[in-house]
Amino acid sequence: MMTNHPTAMQTPPIVSPEEWDDAREHLLVKEKALSRARDALAAERRRMPWMAVNKDYVFEGPEGNLSLLDLFQGRRQLIVYHAFFQPGVGRWPEQACIGCSMVADQVAHPAHLNARDTSLAFVSRAPHPDIERLQARMGWEHIPWYSLTDDFDADFGVDEWHATNAFIRDGQRVFRTYSTTGGRGDEQMGNTWNYLDITALGRQESWEDSPRGYPQTPPYDWWVWHDTGETEPDRD
């Protein structure tokens, strides 16, 4: 019987439970150091300069045209992912780009971002009826997804690739605060924590190293059940 397993795979050593625990503790030291380095990098992102967005953009949604400000849905922050789903790309019109489809499959329920005053939006060049059809077939209805109508993608350097951009608003004024484009930058996206770590305000938890005056609350207090939006106020 044929198998796909290599015939000469070089495996790690086989050890006792005590030796395995020692090896795990040794690796844990490095993992904790990586976590601290990741937190420090996120703290630097929160100190990135802001770039004013002075141009008006129009997106097509299920109920008509929307501005970039509308995509915030009244919240303070916005994360926008440019997904390749358009004529001439991949298996149009049946499928979106396979990499962008993997990203969409990984997206956690946006209610958790919303609980941190942050909205998520996917944008593509496909007409909105095609986007809705794709969402229904792939189970992506929880992702707000809009059709591009102008130069938004080109203006933010993602007209020929996928990318994630983060924005913040101050009243009616919108600012770009971060971006990661193509390559492996987007492979971390989808997880609520990773999304918050690229925003200007971060996770907004009291342990974070953030500039003075940034909104912060104790960890856990803002966690919600996505179906009700309720928190668990009696959590220890």
Side-chain angles (χ1 to χ4, degrees):
M1 180 178 177
M2 297 291 292
T3 70
N4 292 324
H5 298 293
T7 57
M9 178 176 170
Q10 184 175 357
T11 65
I14 308 302
V15 299
S16 68
E18 293 77 17
E19 290 172 309
W20 191 92
D21 286 342
D22 287 343
R24 179 71 191 97
E25 289 298 318
H26 180 74
L27 187 61
L28 183 61
V29 172
K30 296 181 179 180
E31 290 176 337
K32 292 295 185 182
L34 178 61
S35 293
R36 289 191 291 271
R38 187 169 56 244
D39 292 340
L41 182 60
E44 286 192 48
R45 290 194 191 104
R46 292 191 288 277
R47 291 165 172 83
M48 274 275 295
W50 296 2
M51 184 193 82
V53 180
N54 296 317
K55 187 173 177 180
D56 294 329
Y57 296 100
V58 177
F59 306 86
E60 182 188 353
E63 298 179 1
N65 289 341
L66 300 143
S67 67
L68 180 59
L69 193 63
D70 291 330
L71 269 54
F72 281 77
Q73 297 180 321
R75 301 183 181 94
R76 182 83 183 276
Q77 298 190 124
L78 172 68
I79 298 166
V80 179
Y81 177 69
H82 176 216
F84 262 161
F85 179 47
Q86 62 190 58
V89 174
R91 298 182 181 179
W92 169 265
E94 289 79 19
Q95 299 281 14
C97 152
I98 195 166
C100 297
S101 297
M102 285 187 68
V103 171
D105 281 340
Q106 296 171 166
V107 172
H109 200 287
H112 306 293
L113 289 175
N114 299 165
R116 265 344 204 182
D117 208 13
T118 303
S119 290
L120 174 69
F122 274 37
V123 297
S124 296
R125 284 242 161 246
H128 203 265
D130 290 299
I131 292 174
E132 289 184 312
R133 171 182 50 78
L134 183 71
Q135 286 182 282
R137 196 182 84 248
M138 299 295 285
W140 296 335
E141 295 98 330
H142 63 293
I143 304 174
W145 203 319
Y146 307 96
S147 181
L148 294 162
T149 69
D150 48 35
D151 297 328
F152 177 84
D153 48 357
D155 287 351
F156 291 97
V158 291
D159 54 326
E160 295 181 357
W161 201 235
H162 54 85
T164 304
N165 276 279
F167 301 89
I168 196 168
R169 71 181 183 94
D170 181 7
Q172 299 296 110
R173 299 188 67 196
V174 175
F175 303 88
R176 185 190 194 191
T177 61
Y178 183 75
S179 71
T180 179
T181 58
R184 299 185 63 188
D186 281 332
E187 74 178 13
Q188 300 298 319
M189 297 298 102
N191 177 289
T192 299
W193 306 113
N194 288 341
Y195 272 142
L196 289 174
D197 283 346
I198 69 168
T199 64
L201 301 181
R203 302 184 187 191
Q204 304 166 53
E205 294 186 338
S206 53
W207 61 269
E208 285 183 304
D209 173 14
S210 292
R212 181 171 53 85
Y214 274 41
Q216 290 187 326
T217 63
Y220 313 119
D221 283 7
W222 60 275
W223 292 11
V224 299
W225 285 282
H226 81 255
D227 60 332
T228 65
E230 294 178 309
T231 62
E232 190 173 25
D234 296 330
R235 182 184 178 110
D236 293 331

